Amino acid sequence: MSVAPQRNTDLVDPPVDMETPSASQALDNREDDYQEDRDDGDYEPMTEDEGEEDAMNEQVEEEIGDEEDEEDEEEDVEEEDDEDDDTEGLGPIIAAGNTDAGTEDGEIPGVTRLAREDILEFLGGDQGLGRYLLRYLARETPNGDTNQDEDSDEPVEIRPVEIRIGRRRPPGPKQPTPNIPAEPSEAGQELMFSGNFGTPQAHEENDPTYPSIFTHQLMARELGLSPSGRGHDLDPLMAQVIPPARRVGAEWSADDFVQKMIPSSAADMVIKYPSNCYSGQFSDDGNIFFCCAKDFRVRMYDTSNPYRWKYYKTVHCPHGQWAITDGSLSPDNRFLAFTLMSPNVALVSTDPNDDGGVSLLDLTKSQPGLVNHGYFAIWSIRFSGDGRELVAGASGHSIYVYDLETQQTILRIAGHTQDVNAVCYGDRSSPHLLYSGSDDATLKVWDRRSLADGRAAGVFLGHTEGLTYVDSKGDGRYVLSNGKDQTMKLWDLRRMTSTDRFEEIRPSLPVSHFDYRMDPYDPTGRSPHPHDSSVVTFRGHSVLKTLIRCHFSPPGSSDSRYVYSGSADGSVYIYNLDATLAGKIDVRGAIRKSAVNGLLARARRNVFFTETRVRDVSWHPNAPLIAATAWSGQGTHMGSCSIHSWSDGAKEVESDMPMGYGVDEKLKPV
C-alpha cells in the first residue's frame, strides 16, 4: 500500500545509506533521542495558531490550484482516512528504516517503504520544496563525501525510505512562554493598586464583571456616536448581565465595560501601502489617524467614528532622505510635523481643503549665540503641550528645541555619546521637562530651567543596549522605554540616578556592539544591568530590524491600565503593569488572512511569503481599538496598517465587508 506523506508531518529524518551499518546505528540513536524528548515533555504538537494558519493555506491552495490534476480516487480515500486519523490524535512519523531488521524479506511490521521519486513528486519535483531535498541529497555522494557542488548537474542516486505510521503520544506539561516572567512583578502589582494606572478594583484577578456575551456588533451600536452620547444605553444592558451580588458596593458605567476590552487578533480591515510604514498614530481626541511611509507620503484619515474610517488627504514631500521616520500632531489637530532624516522638519495642515503644500522648518537656523553644527538627521519629533514648540532627537548626539513662532532653534543639548533615537515632553502642561533615549543605552531627563551647566537633571540606567523609543505618561513622573536588549522598562522620576553618580559609574557600564538590524539577539552570557533603576521590566516582544515603539494605554478606553509594544515577530504585546501578558494581537496572521480575502491571483505570494514587523501601535483614546503600523509583504518591502477592535472572539460580524478585508490607501477594497 502506498501512503502519501502528510503536510503536518512531525519528524522527517534526512536520507541515510541503507547499506551502511553506521548509518543504521545513527538512526537508532536519533530515534532514542526523539523518544527521550517526547517522554520529557519537550515534544509539542501543532498549536492552535499554527493549525489555523495551515487551514488558511489549504484554503488558498484549494482556490488557486484548480489547474493541477486531481489525485485518483484511491489516494483521495487514503487522504480522508489520514484526516480522520488526525482528528483521533493519530499522526505520521516519517523515518528511514533499517532493511536488515524485521521479516526475512526486509519488511518491518507497520512500516511502508516509499521511493524518493514518490516523495519528490509529492513535493513538486525539482521545484518548490523538492529542490531543497535534491540539494540535500547532492551534498552527500555515495562514498560519503560532501564536496559535491549544489548546482552540479550530475544525477543523484535515489534510494528508498520507509514511513512508519504511529499514534501520537499525549504532549507533556505545557511549558511557560519564553521570555515572559513566570511570576508577576511585585513593584508592578503595587502600581496596579496605587490608583495611578487605572482604578484598583479593575485589576482584581479573574474579574467576573467582564460580560463575554456582548458581540462586536452590539458594542459598535451601543458605544458608537449616538445622539445621547457614547454608551448611553449600555448601563441598563450591563445591569441585565451582571448579577446584583457582583454590583454591591460598586457603580457601573459604560466606561467600566469599555476599559476591560482588549482588541483581538481578528482585524476589522487591513490598509495596504506600497512602501514601509514607520509611524501611525491617532490624535489625542481620536478624530484623526495619520500614517507616515518610506515613499515620503503621509496619509490622513477621519476616525471620529473609529469603526467607519474615511480617507481624506495625502501629503507628499519629496525633499527627504530615505524615509519619514516620525510624525506628531499639534494638540489642536491643525498641523502635522514629520521628519525627513535631514535637518529639516516638514509642517503641513491637516485641513482636507488646504492645499498650501509643505513648509520646511530648518533646524540649523538658530537664535543668536547658538552654535550651528551643520548637517544632521532628525529621527524623532514631538509637539509641546501648548503647541508652540517642537523637540527633536537627532544624530550628532543632540536634542533640539524649535520655536514655531520665531521659526528658529532656541536650544541644542549635546547630551549623549551616540544618536538620540527618541524624545518627548515629560508633562503635557509644561514644556520644561524633556526625556531623551539614545543608542548609548541611557534615558536622560532634562529640566530646561536648570541647564546652565548643560548637564541632565538625572539619568535612568537599566537598558544594556540602545533605546528605540520613549513615551511619557504625561504626568511628569512616569516614562516608558523600549530597548534593543529586547526589554521594555517603566521608570519613575523619583528613582533616577543623579548626574554625579552617573559620571562615577560610567566607565564600568556594559558596552555592546549588537546590530539589531542584522543580527539575532542572543541572551546567552548577558548579565542584567548592575545599576538598573527601572520599576518594572517587560519581556516577550522582539525589538529587532527597526526601531520598535511602545506606549502607555489611554485613560479613556483602557483606564491607563496597560502598556503595549510592537514587535519584530509581527505581533502587538499588551502587558499588565505587573509584567504579565494581558493580550497578544497577531498582526501577521491578520495580514495573511487579508490576502486570502483579497486578490487570489496574488494569494500564493502574499500568504506563503509574508513577513511582518510591527513598528508602531496606537490605541484609540475612546474605543477598544488598536491600529498597528507595520512593515509587511515579501521581504517586508511593503507597508500596512491593520485595525483591530474588541470582538469577543467573533470570527465574523454583520457588515458590508467581511472581517479582515484588504483595502488600499484610500480605503477601496483590493
Side-chain angles (χ1 to χ4, degrees):
M1 180 181 69
S2 175
V3 179
Q6 292 187 356
R7 182 176 36 74
N8 61 341
T9 301
D10 296 303
L11 177 64
V12 179
D13 281 347
V16 297
D17 190 348
M18 295 300 182
E19 304 297 328
T20 305
S22 60
S24 178
Q25 181 64 39
L27 173 64
D28 293 340
N29 294 338
R30 179 173 294 180
E31 290 189 344
D32 291 341
D33 294 340
Y34 172 66
Q35 186 66 40
E36 292 175 3
D37 289 343
R38 294 181 68 155
D39 293 341
D40 292 340
D42 293 336
Y43 168 75
E44 293 186 1
M46 182 181 297
T47 65
E48 181 179 351
D49 290 341
E50 291 170 343
E52 292 180 356
E53 183 174 304
D54 279 352
M56 179 177 62
N57 292 344
E58 289 177 0
Q59 175 187 351
V60 176
E61 290 287 357
E62 180 180 356
E63 292 180 307
I64 65 177
D66 292 339
E67 72 277 10
E68 299 180 359
D69 294 335
E70 294 293 331
E71 299 294 338
D72 55 47
E73 182 177 355
E74 179 181 355
E75 291 177 342
D76 289 340
V77 173
E78 290 173 355
E79 289 177 359
E80 292 176 3
D81 292 339
D82 290 341
E83 292 175 1
D84 293 338
D85 289 342
D86 285 345
T87 60
E88 297 173 3
L90 295 177
I93 300 175
I94 298 182
N98 185 351
T99 57
D100 296 333
T103 61
E104 295 180 358
D105 57 358
E107 297 296 334
I108 302 176
V111 174
T112 300
R113 303 185 65 188
L114 278 181
R116 281 191 175 83
E117 294 95 329
D118 297 331
I119 297 179
L120 288 174
E121 181 180 357
F122 175 79
L123 295 177
D126 58 354
Q127 303 296 324
L129 295 176
R131 61 177 177 172
Y132 295 104
L133 179 58
L134 286 174
R135 287 184 180 180
Y136 180 87
L137 294 173
R139 292 172 56 191
E140 183 174 349
T141 59
N143 61 1
D145 295 335
T146 58
N147 56 2
Q148 184 171 347
D149 187 82
E150 289 186 0
D151 298 328
S152 173
D153 295 330
E154 294 295 325
V156 179
E157 179 184 357
I158 303 297
R159 298 182 293 274
V161 296
E162 296 174 340
I163 297 180
R164 177 171 300 162
I165 306 298
R167 181 180 296 273
R168 291 177 184 260
R169 292 194 177 187
K174 185 176 181 180
Q175 302 297 320
T177 305
N179 296 329
I180 295 181
E183 296 293 333
S185 163
E186 294 183 1
Q189 287 182 327
E190 293 180 3
L191 283 177
M192 290 169 65
F193 295 95
S194 67
N196 293 319
F197 294 88
T199 55
Q201 297 90 340
H203 294 290
E204 292 292 342
E205 186 177 3
N206 299 323
D207 194 331
T209 63
Y210 185 92
S212 61
I213 65 170
F214 280 91
T215 63
H216 175 87
Q217 184 181 12
L218 177 62
M219 180 198 68
R221 184 172 67 246
E222 299 299 336
L223 303 184
L225 300 178
S226 63
S228 301
R230 180 173 58 87
H232 172 71
D233 297 324
L234 190 57
D235 288 338
L237 292 174
M238 291 191 63
Q240 296 175 19
V241 299
I242 302 176
R246 301 296 187 187
R247 291 183 273 115
V248 174
E251 295 294 333
W252 296 101
S253 67
D255 286 338
D256 294 325
F257 177 53
V258 174
Q259 291 161 359
K260 294 181 182 298
M261 297 177 180
I262 293 180
S264 64
S265 293
D268 293 10
M269 68 176 177
V270 178
I271 309 174
K272 301 182 180 182
Y273 300 100
S275 62
N276 292 154
C277 297
Y278 279 73
S279 175
Q281 286 290 305
F282 290 106
S283 59
D284 290 341
D285 59 7
N287 290 333
I288 296 177
F289 179 85
F290 69 87
C291 182
C292 302
K294 188 177 178 180
D295 60 3
F296 294 102
R297 286 177 170 84
V298 179
R299 286 87 173 178
M300 303 182 202
Y301 303 90
D302 178 357
T303 55
S304 54
N305 183 341
Y307 305 105
R308 296 285 183 181
W309 286 35
K310 297 178 182 179
Y311 164 83
Y312 73 83
K313 190 173 185 177
T314 294
V315 176
H316 183 211
C317 182
H319 307 292
Q321 304 291 329
W322 185 253
I324 299 175
T325 57
D326 197 13
S328 178
L329 279 166
S330 61
D332 58 6
N333 291 350
R334 293 179 57 201
F335 298 100
L336 173 69
F338 54 91
T339 64
L340 301 170
M341 287 187 68
S342 73
N344 297 322
V345 173
L347 188 69
V348 298
S349 170
T350 60
D351 187 343
N353 300 317
D354 187 346
D355 297 327
V358 179
S359 300
L360 294 180
L361 310 179
D362 185 3
L363 270 66
T364 63
K365 181 182 178 182
S366 56
Q367 66 182 17
L370 197 64
V371 179
N372 188 338
H373 287 264
Y375 187 87
F376 52 89
I378 298 175
W379 313 116
S380 177
I381 194 76
R382 285 294 174 273
F383 268 98
S384 61
D386 57 12
R388 296 180 179 180
E389 295 178 349
L390 290 169
V391 61
S395 60
H397 322 155
S398 300
I399 303 113
Y400 295 84
V401 177
Y402 185 88
D403 185 273
L404 291 169
E405 183 176 356
T406 62
Q407 296 189 5
Q408 60 183 6
T409 299
I410 60 175
L411 178 65
R412 175 183 178 266
I413 307 171
H416 289 274
T417 59
Q418 296 188 40
D419 287 356
V420 179
N421 293 326
V423 291
C424 67
Y425 286 92
D427 194 335
R428 294 188 184 94
S429 61
S430 171
H432 299 302
L433 188 64
L434 303 175
Y435 295 124
S436 61
S438 169
D439 274 334
D440 62 14
T442 63
L443 194 164
K444 292 190 175 182
V445 184
W446 307 91
D447 189 339
R448 294 168 58 183
R449 295 164 295 189
S450 57
L451 278 177
D453 57 358
R455 300 204 308 168
V459 183
F460 289 122
L461 298 175
H463 284 292
T464 56
E465 301 288 350
L467 277 68
T468 64
Y469 196 74
V470 294
D471 184 40
S472 171
K473 193 171 183 292
D475 58 0
R477 178 171 172 181
Y478 293 104
V479 63
L480 193 67
S481 65
N482 241 0
K484 299 172 187 176
D485 56 3
Q486 313 305 298
T487 66
M488 177 169 61
K489 289 181 177 289
L490 177 67
W491 312 87
D492 187 333
L493 198 63
R494 298 171 299 179
R495 297 180 57 171
M496 65 181 180
T497 302
S498 68
T499 303
D500 291 337
R501 174 60 177 160
F502 171 67
E503 295 297 336
E504 292 177 5
I505 63 179
R506 176 188 286 184
S508 64
L509 296 180
V511 178
S512 173
H513 301 287
F514 167 64
D515 187 352
Y516 73 105
R517 298 167 298 178
M518 304 297 296
D519 300 333
Y521 185 81
D522 184 6
T524 305
R526 297 178 183 266
S527 302
H529 198 290
H531 305 283
D532 191 351
S533 59
S534 62
V535 181
V536 185
T537 299
F538 306 87
R539 298 179 177 89
H541 58 295
S542 175
V543 186
L544 297 170
K545 304 300 182 182
T546 184
L547 301 179
I548 305 291
R549 302 183 168 201
C550 60
H551 301 277
F552 290 97
S553 67
S557 55
S558 72
D559 201 21
S560 302
R561 69 186 63 176
Y562 308 113
V563 293
Y564 59 100
S565 173
S567 179
D569 64 5
S571 300
V572 175
Y573 287 76
I574 303 172
Y575 297 97
N576 295 307
L577 266 294
D578 62 358
T580 57
L581 191 64
K584 180 180 176 181
I585 299 175
D586 182 12
V587 176
R588 180 173 181 266
I591 294 174
R592 291 163 65 95
K593 185 177 185 298
S594 72
V596 175
N597 290 340
L599 291 176
L600 292 177
R602 300 179 181 177
R604 187 186 298 273
R605 180 186 65 190
N606 290 343
V607 171
F608 293 103
F609 298 97
T610 293
E611 300 177 63
T612 303
R613 320 286 185 201
V614 182
R615 193 179 196 274
D616 199 5
V617 194
S618 185
W619 198 313
H620 195 280
N622 303 321
L625 180 144
I626 275 179
T629 303
W631 297 3
S632 59
Q634 188 173 2
T636 62
H637 295 312
M638 311 297 283
S640 66
C641 177
S642 57
I643 292 85
H644 304 259
S645 63
W646 178 82
S647 62
D648 196 25
K651 300 296 183 181
E652 293 291 343
V653 297
E654 295 182 9
S655 177
D656 298 337
M657 297 293 293
M659 288 182 65
Y661 66 98
V663 297
D664 64 14
E665 61 187 74
K666 295 185 178 180
L667 306 185
K668 296 180 180 179
V670 297

